[in-house]
Amino acid sequence: APDIQLPTIDGEMNLKELQGKVVYLDFWASWCVPCRASFPWMAEIKHKYGPKGLEVVAVNLDKDRALADTFMEYMEINFLVAFDESGKSAENYELRGMPGSYLIGREGSIQASHLGFKDKDKSKLEAVIKKLLDQK
């Protein structure tokens, strides 16, 4: 998986430093309607699987950080949020739409990707997360 180094709400994040964990990497923007539904689910999986080694990283692609801040005021967030106003990280992942998510295994390689977010997607995504967490 391409490395990502970006500012976060309270510092910086470096994706390589998360190696050894399973990472759910999600690209989102404030104008993205399905992203509103994905945020509560990401908080839920972080709560449920965080102790087993899951890290959730949500990368915002708004050109104006204030738009992201307003969006997040109404969300429960217990996961890492990073900001990429340039969109370079999305280019490196060849993002085709939003939300776009990637599941990265403990060894640091992309194991699955998913475009969009609907309720019916949750069980499929969760099954892949469980499988990756079970791999040591």
Side-chain angles (χ1 to χ4, degrees):
D3 192 23
I4 295 177
Q5 285 185 293
L6 292 170
T8 62
I9 292 171
D10 52 10
E12 289 244 330
M13 67 85 53
N14 180 330
L15 194 61
K16 277 205 179 359
E17 291 174 4
L18 298 177
Q19 202 159 340
K21 294 186 174 216
V22 171
V23 178
Y24 183 84
L25 177 65
D26 181 77
F27 290 94
W28 67 281
S30 61
W31 49 263
C32 165
V33 175
C35 296
R36 295 182 206 286
S38 70
F39 260 65
W41 181 76
M42 288 190 296
E44 184 184 310
I45 61 166
K46 171 64 178 168
H47 177 75
K48 196 170 177 181
Y49 299 109
K52 294 178 174 132
L54 177 70
E55 195 60 61
V56 175
V57 178
V59 177
N60 175 264
L61 298 172
D62 281 305
K63 301 234 180 289
D64 179 358
R65 164 85 185 262
L67 296 170
D69 290 338
T70 302
F71 175 98
M72 291 186 300
E73 280 176 25
Y74 305 99
M75 299 291 170
E76 177 196 332
I77 298 171
N78 60 353
F79 47 85
L80 199 54
V81 177
F83 302 94
D84 184 2
E85 294 168 359
S86 74
K88 199 84 184 129
S89 62
E91 283 175 29
N92 291 341
Y93 277 81
E94 299 174 9
L95 185 70
R96 295 169 308 167
M98 281 194 262
S101 59
Y102 300 83
L103 272 159
I104 301 169
R106 294 183 191 274
E107 77 300 327
S109 67
I110 297 171
Q111 299 295 311
S113 64
H114 187 79
L115 188 59
F117 186 83
K118 295 184 173 98
D119 273 350
K120 68 179 179 63
D121 301 335
K122 293 178 187 178
S123 58
K124 227 180 354 184
L125 287 167
E126 204 166 330
V128 178
I129 290 168
K130 283 186 209 170
K131 185 178 150 204
L132 292 174
L133 286 170
D134 287 342
Q135 295 173 356
K136 294 294 174 210

